[in-house]
Amino acid sequence: MHPRNAIKKQGAASQEDMASISTVPQHVAIIMDGNGRWAKQRGLSRVEGHRAGTENIRRVIDAFAGRGVKYLTLYAFSTENWSRPRSEVNGLFRLLGQVIQRETRALHERGVHIRHLGTTDGLSSHLVRQVKEAVELTRHNTNITLSLAFNYGGRAEILGVVRRLIEEKAPPESIDEKLFASYLFTAGLPDPDLIIRTGGELRLSNFLLWQAAYSEYYATPTYWPDFDEEEIEDAIRAYSQRQRRFGGLVPTAKCKGGVAA
Ligand code: FPP
């Protein structure tokens, strides 16, 4: 454990923390980047980096749930990640299977509702079964919804909706944002309020392209395995200081005809 976390109880924000954080995002989505660089710094293999990243998942779920976040979405494997070396892809899916196997029961006991965002194309039948069972077991839980985005790509998701609307011969005038969103993998989830990217890069990497239209962004250079309680607090604090306008104007703004975003 990092020394600065030693005196903090995992998952719980102190009263002082809570007092300084006025607005907690309802839905946080995370691009967990930097496992490879974390491993390289330590002379370890990339798969070891992903293993360390996996170890971090439980503390992150507990910390966000403890702060009142109701939806947490983690980007674990994109459709583009298939282009990585076979050994890394296999290692990632092995880790994913191990996490589901090892953690589902404990997550269920903590009231976590697990969802999968993405397709099952190319996944082993064993992993598909494990995922289905985890989703089924936890479907009525209400503490926090944990969506694991793997085998997920934002453009492919949008194309999938278009194909289905065409297949179902949806009348053009019936297609609005609400209908469209109801065909996305995220159907029923609110759009992410806050998207966090670890590892220092500043891009979306095909993550939640439709859903991110008005999300706030937060990037940290910290590699994913080191993304800890203090980092989480910083991200939530930064979010609470943002002014969200959803394309309108600031209610108290005196500017005339000002453009807002
Ligand atoms: C990016 O790091 C991370 C990934 C492609 C995978 C993230 C996966 C996990 C944390 C483990 C499995 C997840 C779950 C939810 C069980 P990178 O390899 O691109 O790092 P780099 O940019 O430093 O090379």
Side-chain angles (χ1 to χ4, degrees):
M1 186 187 289
H2 192 287
R4 73 187 173 208
N5 283 337
I7 51 165
K8 279 194 183 166
K9 191 164 164 273
Q10 274 210 355
S14 69
Q15 292 215 321
E16 196 184 300
D17 293 339
M18 295 306 276
S20 65
I21 296 172
S22 57
T23 319
V24 173
Q26 187 186 22
H27 183 176
V28 175
I30 309 183
I31 301 170
M32 307 180 286
D33 200 12
N35 294 343
R37 281 164 288 164
W38 182 94
K40 194 171 177 200
Q41 271 184 346
R42 291 160 175 78
L44 301 170
S45 71
R46 293 183 57 81
V47 174
E48 285 304 319
H50 295 312
R51 188 184 306 283
T54 305
E55 300 301 327
N56 195 25
I57 285 172
R58 190 192 280 198
R59 108 169 135 185
V60 170
I61 299 169
D62 286 349
F64 279 112
R67 282 167 169 77
V69 168
K70 296 304 285 180
Y71 301 87
L72 180 65
T73 298
L74 301 177
Y75 199 12
F77 190 88
S78 73
T79 41
E80 290 69 37
N81 288 150
W82 285 106
S83 64
R84 293 189 176 201
R86 195 71 226 164
S87 57
E88 183 171 346
V89 171
N90 288 344
L92 270 167
F93 280 116
R94 206 174 315 115
L95 281 171
L96 196 58
Q98 285 170 3
V99 168
I100 294 170
Q101 165 109 6
R102 202 181 58 210
E103 301 287 336
T104 298
R105 178 67 40 198
L107 291 172
H108 180 49
E109 280 161 12
R110 300 211 295 289
V112 179
H113 173 192
I114 300 174
R115 282 183 62 155
H116 169 219
L117 310 181
T119 73
T120 54
D121 301 344
L123 304 184
S124 72
S125 53
H126 179 63
L127 182 60
V128 172
R129 199 171 50 251
Q130 276 185 309
V131 173
K132 271 195 182 146
E133 283 171 7
V135 168
E136 193 49 45
L137 177 72
T138 62
R139 66 183 310 119
H140 298 299
N141 292 339
T142 54
N143 270 358
I144 185 168
T145 298
L146 171 68
S147 301
L148 299 175
F150 60 90
N151 216 12
Y152 173 88
R155 286 185 174 178
E157 178 182 35
I158 291 170
L159 276 179
V161 175
V162 173
R163 285 200 190 103
R164 280 188 57 196
L165 289 169
I166 293 171
E167 272 163 20
E168 293 177 14
K169 299 191 172 45
E173 63 281 6
S174 73
I175 303 173
D176 57 13
E177 291 186 11
K178 197 168 162 216
L179 181 75
F180 198 94
S182 73
Y183 283 83
L184 294 166
F185 294 125
T186 50
L189 299 178
D191 286 343
D193 300 296
L194 174 64
I195 295 184
I196 297 173
R197 182 168 187 141
T198 61
E201 314 277 3
L202 301 174
R203 59 177 165 266
L204 208 46
S205 299
N206 207 12
F207 187 43
L208 301 177
L209 296 184
W210 170 280
Q211 300 86 340
Y214 280 100
S215 303
E216 296 293 325
Y217 292 87
Y218 180 85
T220 170
T222 301
Y223 298 146
W224 172 251
D226 292 330
F227 186 74
D228 60 13
E229 286 264 347
E230 192 166 325
E231 289 277 343
I232 289 169
E233 215 176 285
D234 289 348
I236 294 188
R237 181 172 291 106
Y239 172 84
S240 74
Q241 288 162 359
R242 303 277 176 90
Q243 196 167 52
R244 303 187 74 192
R245 300 196 293 274
F246 299 97
L249 295 178
V250 186
T252 54
K254 293 205 177 91
C255 63
K256 259 204 236 158
V259 178

